[in-house]
Amino acid sequence: MKRSTGNRLIPAVIVRTLKEQPVIIALIAVFVLFSILFPDRFLSFLNFKTILRQFITLTLFAMGPSIVVVTGSLDLSYVGIWMLGGILVWLCMPVFGLLSIFVILLLGVTTGFVIGVIQTKAKIPSFILTLSLLVTYWGLTALLSGGYPRPVRGYGFITTRLIPYIPTTLLWSIPIIAAAIFIMKCTKIGTYLYAIGSNEEGAQLAGINVDKYKILAFTLSGLFTGIGSMILFQHLGGSTPVELNLNTVVWPLVAIVLGGTPLMGGSGGPQRTILGAFTFCVFYRGVYISPLHPYSVQLLVGLLLIVSIIVSARGLKSVTIT
Amino acid sequence: MTTRPGLSREWLRKNMTTVGPIVFVIAVVVVFQMFNPFFLKYQGIISLIYSMSYFLVAACGLTFVIMTGSFDFSVPSLLKLSALLCVLYIEDLGLWVIPLALLLCVGFGFINGLILAKFNVPSFMATLGVSIVVEGIARYLSKGFLQIMDDKAFRSLSTTFIAGLPSVFYWGMGIWLISIFLALRTPFGRRTYAIGGNLIGAALSDTNVARHRIYVFMLSGFLSGLAGVLYMAQMGGGSVEMGADMAIPLFASVVAGGTALTGGVGGPHRTLLGVIIITWIQAGMNMLAIGRDIQMLTFGLIAIGMSIATIDRKRKIIK
């Protein structure tokens, strides 16, 4: 970075923002690149609508885990909550009627709380704990559903179009995103979580009840995943798959890391995840409409993940990592 | 003579990580034998051996990685890649395809280690990224079709019967013994334990930590590739979907044997029992026609339970 902040052509505010959030450069670069390469297909109305729909999915999945990543742990259980929740809604439908959608919320909060308690008391690495739980939930989903996706009708009102051209789920997700950012930026809880993420022992010595706030972080993650899954349940067709797809697990992670929340915790947060998710969707759609073989899309997503974790891990030279 | 320690509670607590898996194995055998009288007949044993041998090879590689306190998520993907490479290019290259596949897997192991050790990225994240790339390559090469291996020489690698047992069993046992020797009797093994036990201490005592971690990941890649070759020789075919749900059973088998996730304890000699527990449950359930859903449920719960049981809580907080 040779360009000093005193350069008159570019205001200092913009330079600082770009330095703090290099993902904006990536977003502009990807956008311009695909606009030049495929002007009529990429810049079409349909494409933007698809990007927006995909963006909602990704953001709602990634919002909860990005709170956990701030504390330096990892929560992979979101797809499990969504899958098992969908089947539980189908099971509860005859008993509770339309209220049964709140089962997903309940499941999310319970799962988050249980993960938090196990992680803090038994000290298992969170990624392996949540991964095992994800597989357990998948088995439970397949068991309860009998191996078929079970569609549920009656929640069409969630996706009824209120404003033309804008998916209603986007309107639903705005308060959720706002709440997540508010909790992380404007409350005591958020400050404590950042403190735990940047230095756990220091936070302990400063009198923060680390275990309590870590459990709270996982519970919040479960809560946001639960609310998000309630919307996504209808957004993604009113039923959930019974086969675990690694892609749905990995994409929100890519969004979080791409947004600039380092996996060691301490900085970043939900507000960055929005940018990361948007960049990922633009990138994905761009590759998708390009003449590349569909199977190579996965390859590029993997490379994107590797590059973004390497970039986001820079400046962590003194930290020992397992 | 002093009094013998006997089966006192103190002794039991000290040796829990040894006694636990043995009891578990006996319980598994007894339960399945009760439900299925063919479990320990000759055919049943052959099927148990087929299900555990290639798995043992892959699990030995993962054990070394977990001993250093890291995690390798890419083992199932590398297994899949090497198996598919074998079946796709055996006609063009003959048996030379095996060293090629192994070399490629070692290369990916090197990339894993490089990302972890040089760029300071948490190992599960680095290996997750690499495994997606590998998965993409496998999908691209196989185009998603089911591939059938019909090369007799290649298939005899795993399916020749020596003294009544298939040769894949001897491969598995051989690799297991070499791994034990490597872990317990060589400088390589001692460095592995040292890094897992105390990373900073190992670095201060003149161990090139970064280089050694790369070696460990290369070993893990090599053994996953070998497991893939044996798997393909044994199964005689497969598509890109194979090994998709192996990550958790593999991890569970290493942890069930008594190698803690914190690193520095356990070792390949323990992994055999863990592999027996996991693969025999799997094979036993398959014999009883219990579906994959219940199997996954079981392995997920075993993985969580065993990590809680084996982990050393006195160690520094892990993320």
Side-chain angles (χ1 to χ4, degrees), chain A residues 8-26:
Chain A
R8 298 256 171 80
L9 285 173
I10 304 168
V13 183
I14 294 180
V15 171
R16 204 172 61 232
T17 317
L18 286 181
K19 259 186 188 171
E20 281 170 3
Q21 310 217 346
V23 67
I24 296 177
I25 303 171

PDB file of all heavy atoms in Angstrom, chain A residues 8-26:
ATOM      1  N   ARG A   8      -5.130  13.388  -2.812  1.00  0.00           N
ATOM      2  CA  ARG A   8      -6.358  14.179  -2.908  1.00  0.00           C
ATOM      3  C   ARG A   8      -7.406  13.494  -3.776  1.00  0.00           C
ATOM      4  O   ARG A   8      -8.593  13.714  -3.606  1.00  0.00           O
ATOM      5  CB  ARG A   8      -6.031  15.552  -3.513  1.00  0.00           C
ATOM      6  CG  ARG A   8      -5.085  16.346  -2.649  1.00  0.00           C
ATOM      7  CD  ARG A   8      -5.807  17.447  -1.895  1.00  0.00           C
ATOM      8  NE  ARG A   8      -4.924  18.049  -0.910  1.00  0.00           N
ATOM      9  CZ  ARG A   8      -4.004  18.966  -1.223  1.00  0.00           C
ATOM     10  NH1 ARG A   8      -3.891  19.379  -2.462  1.00  0.00           N
ATOM     11  NH2 ARG A   8      -3.234  19.481  -0.298  1.00  0.00           N
ATOM     12  N   LEU A   9      -6.946  12.704  -4.765  1.00  0.00           N
ATOM     13  CA  LEU A   9      -7.889  12.143  -5.723  1.00  0.00           C
ATOM     14  C   LEU A   9      -8.863  11.175  -5.051  1.00  0.00           C
ATOM     15  O   LEU A   9     -10.033  11.120  -5.389  1.00  0.00           O
ATOM     16  CB  LEU A   9      -7.142  11.424  -6.843  1.00  0.00           C
ATOM     17  CG  LEU A   9      -6.476  12.344  -7.860  1.00  0.00           C
ATOM     18  CD1 LEU A   9      -5.618  11.550  -8.818  1.00  0.00           C
ATOM     19  CD2 LEU A   9      -7.520  13.144  -8.625  1.00  0.00           C
ATOM     20  N   ILE A  10      -8.343  10.426  -4.117  1.00  0.00           N
ATOM     21  CA  ILE A  10      -9.199   9.453  -3.434  1.00  0.00           C
ATOM     22  C   ILE A  10      -9.334   9.875  -1.974  1.00  0.00           C
ATOM     23  O   ILE A  10      -8.333   9.955  -1.264  1.00  0.00           O
ATOM     24  CB  ILE A  10      -8.599   8.039  -3.520  1.00  0.00           C
ATOM     25  CG1 ILE A  10      -8.373   7.681  -4.975  1.00  0.00           C
ATOM     26  CG2 ILE A  10      -9.511   7.024  -2.856  1.00  0.00           C
ATOM     27  CD1 ILE A  10      -7.533   6.462  -5.177  1.00  0.00           C
ATOM     28  N   PRO A  11     -10.546  10.152  -1.516  1.00  0.00           N
ATOM     29  CA  PRO A  11     -10.712  10.595  -0.123  1.00  0.00           C
ATOM     30  C   PRO A  11     -10.227   9.545   0.861  1.00  0.00           C
ATOM     31  O   PRO A  11     -10.268   8.342   0.589  1.00  0.00           O
ATOM     32  CB  PRO A  11     -12.230  10.788  -0.007  1.00  0.00           C
ATOM     33  CG  PRO A  11     -12.723  10.905  -1.405  1.00  0.00           C
ATOM     34  CD  PRO A  11     -11.781  10.159  -2.270  1.00  0.00           C
ATOM     35  N   ALA A  12      -9.750  10.047   1.998  1.00  0.00           N
ATOM     36  CA  ALA A  12      -9.151   9.156   3.000  1.00  0.00           C
ATOM     37  C   ALA A  12     -10.142   8.119   3.506  1.00  0.00           C
ATOM     38  O   ALA A  12      -9.770   6.985   3.795  1.00  0.00           O
ATOM     39  CB  ALA A  12      -8.624   9.980   4.173  1.00  0.00           C
ATOM     40  N   VAL A  13     -11.416   8.515   3.589  1.00  0.00           N
ATOM     41  CA  VAL A  13     -12.416   7.586   4.132  1.00  0.00           C
ATOM     42  C   VAL A  13     -12.505   6.339   3.264  1.00  0.00           C
ATOM     43  O   VAL A  13     -12.518   5.205   3.751  1.00  0.00           O
ATOM     44  CB  VAL A  13     -13.790   8.283   4.199  1.00  0.00           C
ATOM     45  CG1 VAL A  13     -14.806   7.353   4.838  1.00  0.00           C
ATOM     46  CG2 VAL A  13     -13.685   9.577   4.964  1.00  0.00           C
ATOM     47  N   ILE A  14     -12.515   6.567   1.939  1.00  0.00           N
ATOM     48  CA  ILE A  14     -12.651   5.435   1.022  1.00  0.00           C
ATOM     49  C   ILE A  14     -11.428   4.537   1.118  1.00  0.00           C
ATOM     50  O   ILE A  14     -11.545   3.307   1.166  1.00  0.00           O
ATOM     51  CB  ILE A  14     -12.863   5.949  -0.418  1.00  0.00           C
ATOM     52  CG1 ILE A  14     -14.209   6.662  -0.493  1.00  0.00           C
ATOM     53  CG2 ILE A  14     -12.806   4.796  -1.406  1.00  0.00           C
ATOM     54  CD1 ILE A  14     -14.518   7.214  -1.850  1.00  0.00           C
ATOM     55  N   VAL A  15     -10.241   5.160   1.172  1.00  0.00           N
ATOM     56  CA  VAL A  15      -9.018   4.362   1.248  1.00  0.00           C
ATOM     57  C   VAL A  15      -9.025   3.501   2.496  1.00  0.00           C
ATOM     58  O   VAL A  15      -8.716   2.309   2.466  1.00  0.00           O
ATOM     59  CB  VAL A  15      -7.778   5.282   1.230  1.00  0.00           C
ATOM     60  CG1 VAL A  15      -6.519   4.483   1.533  1.00  0.00           C
ATOM     61  CG2 VAL A  15      -7.658   5.973  -0.096  1.00  0.00           C
ATOM     62  N   ARG A  16      -9.469   4.100   3.617  1.00  0.00           N
ATOM     63  CA  ARG A  16      -9.475   3.348   4.858  1.00  0.00           C
ATOM     64  C   ARG A  16     -10.472   2.189   4.793  1.00  0.00           C
ATOM     65  O   ARG A  16     -10.178   1.067   5.211  1.00  0.00           O
ATOM     66  CB  ARG A  16      -9.807   4.269   6.029  1.00  0.00           C
ATOM     67  CG  ARG A  16      -9.275   3.710   7.350  1.00  0.00           C
ATOM     68  CD  ARG A  16      -9.417   4.698   8.475  1.00  0.00           C
ATOM     69  NE  ARG A  16     -10.781   5.061   8.727  1.00  0.00           N
ATOM     70  CZ  ARG A  16     -11.234   6.330   8.800  1.00  0.00           C
ATOM     71  NH1 ARG A  16     -10.395   7.326   8.624  1.00  0.00           N
ATOM     72  NH2 ARG A  16     -12.492   6.576   9.046  1.00  0.00           N
ATOM     73  N   THR A  17     -11.644   2.493   4.234  1.00  0.00           N
ATOM     74  CA  THR A  17     -12.648   1.433   4.122  1.00  0.00           C
ATOM     75  C   THR A  17     -12.119   0.282   3.286  1.00  0.00           C
ATOM     76  O   THR A  17     -12.290  -0.886   3.629  1.00  0.00           O
ATOM     77  CB  THR A  17     -13.927   1.988   3.472  1.00  0.00           C
ATOM     78  OG1 THR A  17     -14.207   3.255   4.041  1.00  0.00           O
ATOM     79  CG2 THR A  17     -15.093   1.066   3.693  1.00  0.00           C
ATOM     80  N   LEU A  18     -11.451   0.620   2.180  1.00  0.00           N
ATOM     81  CA  LEU A  18     -10.953  -0.436   1.304  1.00  0.00           C
ATOM     82  C   LEU A  18      -9.862  -1.245   1.992  1.00  0.00           C
ATOM     83  O   LEU A  18      -9.756  -2.454   1.802  1.00  0.00           O
ATOM     84  CB  LEU A  18     -10.415   0.160   0.002  1.00  0.00           C
ATOM     85  CG  LEU A  18     -11.483   0.650  -0.973  1.00  0.00           C
ATOM     86  CD1 LEU A  18     -10.830   1.185  -2.229  1.00  0.00           C
ATOM     87  CD2 LEU A  18     -12.460  -0.448  -1.330  1.00  0.00           C
ATOM     88  N   LYS A  19      -9.043  -0.547   2.791  1.00  0.00           N
ATOM     89  CA  LYS A  19      -7.986  -1.267   3.502  1.00  0.00           C
ATOM     90  C   LYS A  19      -8.573  -2.226   4.516  1.00  0.00           C
ATOM     91  O   LYS A  19      -8.085  -3.341   4.704  1.00  0.00           O
ATOM     92  CB  LYS A  19      -7.077  -0.266   4.227  1.00  0.00           C
ATOM     93  CG  LYS A  19      -5.783   0.009   3.491  1.00  0.00           C
ATOM     94  CD  LYS A  19      -4.898   0.873   4.346  1.00  0.00           C
ATOM     95  CE  LYS A  19      -3.690   1.332   3.578  1.00  0.00           C
ATOM     96  NZ  LYS A  19      -2.912   2.335   4.313  1.00  0.00           N
ATOM     97  N   GLU A  20      -9.643  -1.764   5.186  1.00  0.00           N
ATOM     98  CA  GLU A  20     -10.237  -2.620   6.204  1.00  0.00           C
ATOM     99  C   GLU A  20     -11.064  -3.738   5.588  1.00  0.00           C
ATOM    100  O   GLU A  20     -11.182  -4.811   6.158  1.00  0.00           O
ATOM    101  CB  GLU A  20     -11.115  -1.782   7.136  1.00  0.00           C
ATOM    102  CG  GLU A  20     -10.302  -1.030   8.170  1.00  0.00           C
ATOM    103  CD  GLU A  20     -11.136  -0.021   8.919  1.00  0.00           C
ATOM    104  OE1 GLU A  20     -12.349   0.041   8.674  1.00  0.00           O
ATOM    105  OE2 GLU A  20     -10.559   0.715   9.727  1.00  0.00           O
ATOM    106  N   GLN A  21     -11.662  -3.470   4.455  1.00  0.00           N
ATOM    107  CA  GLN A  21     -12.549  -4.463   3.856  1.00  0.00           C
ATOM    108  C   GLN A  21     -12.141  -4.746   2.413  1.00  0.00           C
ATOM    109  O   GLN A  21     -12.788  -4.278   1.475  1.00  0.00           O
ATOM    110  CB  GLN A  21     -13.990  -3.969   3.895  1.00  0.00           C
ATOM    111  CG  GLN A  21     -14.392  -3.476   5.261  1.00  0.00           C
ATOM    112  CD  GLN A  21     -15.819  -3.808   5.598  1.00  0.00           C
ATOM    113  OE1 GLN A  21     -16.589  -4.178   4.754  1.00  0.00           O
ATOM    114  NE2 GLN A  21     -16.169  -3.662   6.849  1.00  0.00           N
ATOM    115  N   PRO A  22     -11.060  -5.488   2.229  1.00  0.00           N
ATOM    116  CA  PRO A  22     -10.581  -5.729   0.861  1.00  0.00           C
ATOM    117  C   PRO A  22     -11.590  -6.477   0.005  1.00  0.00           C
ATOM    118  O   PRO A  22     -11.455  -6.535  -1.215  1.00  0.00           O
ATOM    119  CB  PRO A  22      -9.312  -6.558   1.074  1.00  0.00           C
ATOM    120  CG  PRO A  22      -9.410  -7.088   2.441  1.00  0.00           C
ATOM    121  CD  PRO A  22     -10.234  -6.145   3.227  1.00  0.00           C
ATOM    122  N   VAL A  23     -12.625  -7.032   0.640  1.00  0.00           N
ATOM    123  CA  VAL A  23     -13.609  -7.790  -0.124  1.00  0.00           C
ATOM    124  C   VAL A  23     -14.358  -6.880  -1.100  1.00  0.00           C
ATOM    125  O   VAL A  23     -14.820  -7.324  -2.154  1.00  0.00           O
ATOM    126  CB  VAL A  23     -14.571  -8.532   0.821  1.00  0.00           C
ATOM    127  CG1 VAL A  23     -15.441  -7.573   1.583  1.00  0.00           C
ATOM    128  CG2 VAL A  23     -15.425  -9.508   0.060  1.00  0.00           C
ATOM    129  N   ILE A  24     -14.428  -5.570  -0.774  1.00  0.00           N
ATOM    130  CA  ILE A  24     -15.119  -4.651  -1.682  1.00  0.00           C
ATOM    131  C   ILE A  24     -14.397  -4.610  -3.022  1.00  0.00           C
ATOM    132  O   ILE A  24     -15.024  -4.617  -4.089  1.00  0.00           O
ATOM    133  CB  ILE A  24     -15.194  -3.245  -1.049  1.00  0.00           C
ATOM    134  CG1 ILE A  24     -16.051  -3.303   0.214  1.00  0.00           C
ATOM    135  CG2 ILE A  24     -15.768  -2.244  -2.027  1.00  0.00           C
ATOM    136  CD1 ILE A  24     -16.133  -2.012   0.957  1.00  0.00           C
ATOM    137  N   ILE A  25     -13.056  -4.590  -2.978  1.00  0.00           N
ATOM    138  CA  ILE A  25     -12.282  -4.612  -4.219  1.00  0.00           C
ATOM    139  C   ILE A  25     -12.599  -5.875  -5.002  1.00  0.00           C
ATOM    140  O   ILE A  25     -12.843  -5.839  -6.210  1.00  0.00           O
ATOM    141  CB  ILE A  25     -10.766  -4.538  -3.912  1.00  0.00           C
ATOM    142  CG1 ILE A  25     -10.463  -3.292  -3.092  1.00  0.00           C
ATOM    143  CG2 ILE A  25      -9.958  -4.564  -5.191  1.00  0.00           C
ATOM    144  CD1 ILE A  25      -9.056  -3.246  -2.553  1.00  0.00           C
ATOM    145  N   ALA A  26     -12.638  -7.021  -4.277  1.00  0.00           N
ATOM    146  CA  ALA A  26     -12.931  -8.292  -4.936  1.00  0.00           C
ATOM    147  C   ALA A  26     -14.318  -8.259  -5.561  1.00  0.00           C
ATOM    148  O   ALA A  26     -14.509  -8.705  -6.704  1.00  0.00           O
ATOM    149  CB  ALA A  26     -12.840  -9.436  -3.928  1.00  0.00           C
TER     150      ALA A  26
END
